[in-house]
Amino acid sequence: QVQLVESGGGLVQAGGSLRLSCAASVRIISSRAMGWFRQAPGKEREFVGAISWRGGSTYYADSVKGRFTISRDYAKTTVYLQMNSLKPEDTAVYYCAAAGTSWPPTVRSEYDYWGQGTQVTVSS
């Protein structure tokens, strides 16, 4: 099975922190990279950041640079999104996804598999 499962979402106050996890099936490691996207109500799905499986290279959207950090545990086939200094505008459903050969993968069409999403709500 090829499967991605996000967890760790919840309610947090502005300025707080939250860490999301994405557990992937072993087969997902054949992908080049893992990415995080988010989608707020009434808005398009937005790229957050990506990490390469083997080298650990990262790439972030300008909106989250300096606040969010992506990491991975290759042995556990798990990717993390550490979110600090959260703002109300960070409120969204967050998705993890697996990309193919491109780097950095910043658009939806570059991803082959998607998780179900986890809700993050930041109160003001």
Side-chain angles (χ1 to χ4, degrees), residues 3-50:
Q3 190 172 29
L4 299 169
V5 180
E6 301 98 331
S7 62
L11 176 64
V12 64
Q13 292 184 334
S17 298
L18 204 61
R19 188 179 76 160
L20 306 183
S21 298
C22 176
S25 60
V26 173
R27 185 176 166 186
I28 289 294
I29 295 178
S30 64
S31 300
R32 171 74 180 276
M34 298 293 294
W36 286 95
F37 284 74
R38 64 186 183 184
Q39 187 166 23
K43 295 185 178 180
E44 298 292 322
R45 190 167 297 186
E46 175 189 25
F47 173 76
V48 174

Side-chain angles (χ1 to χ4, degrees), residues 32-33 99-106 110:
R32 171 74 180 276
T101 59
S102 62
W103 180 262
T106 60
E110 295 176 304

Side-chain angles (χ1 to χ4, degrees), residues 20 77-78 108 121:
L20 306 183
T77 63
T78 300
R108 293 181 65 183
T121 302

Side-chain angles (χ1 to χ4, degrees), residues 13 24-25 35 37 52 55 87 92 95-96 106-109 115:
Q13 292 184 334
S25 60
F37 284 74
S52 63
K87 307 173 182 179
Y95 300 88
C96 65
T106 60
V107 300
R108 293 181 65 183
S109 61

Side-chain angles (χ1 to χ4, degrees), residues 65-114:
K65 285 181 179 177
R67 299 190 299 123
F68 291 10
T69 302
I70 300 174
S71 60
R72 90 274 190 258
D73 187 324
Y74 191 88
K76 294 182 179 180
T77 63
T78 300
V79 177
Y80 305 94
L81 179 65
Q82 178 67 46
M83 304 182 292
N84 299 324
S85 301
L86 283 163
K87 307 173 182 179
E89 51 263 44
D90 294 319
T91 295
V93 176
Y94 283 71
Y95 300 88
C96 65
T101 59
S102 62
W103 180 262
T106 60
V107 300
R108 293 181 65 183
S109 61
E110 295 176 304
Y111 290 81
D112 302 308
Y113 304 101
W114 294 82

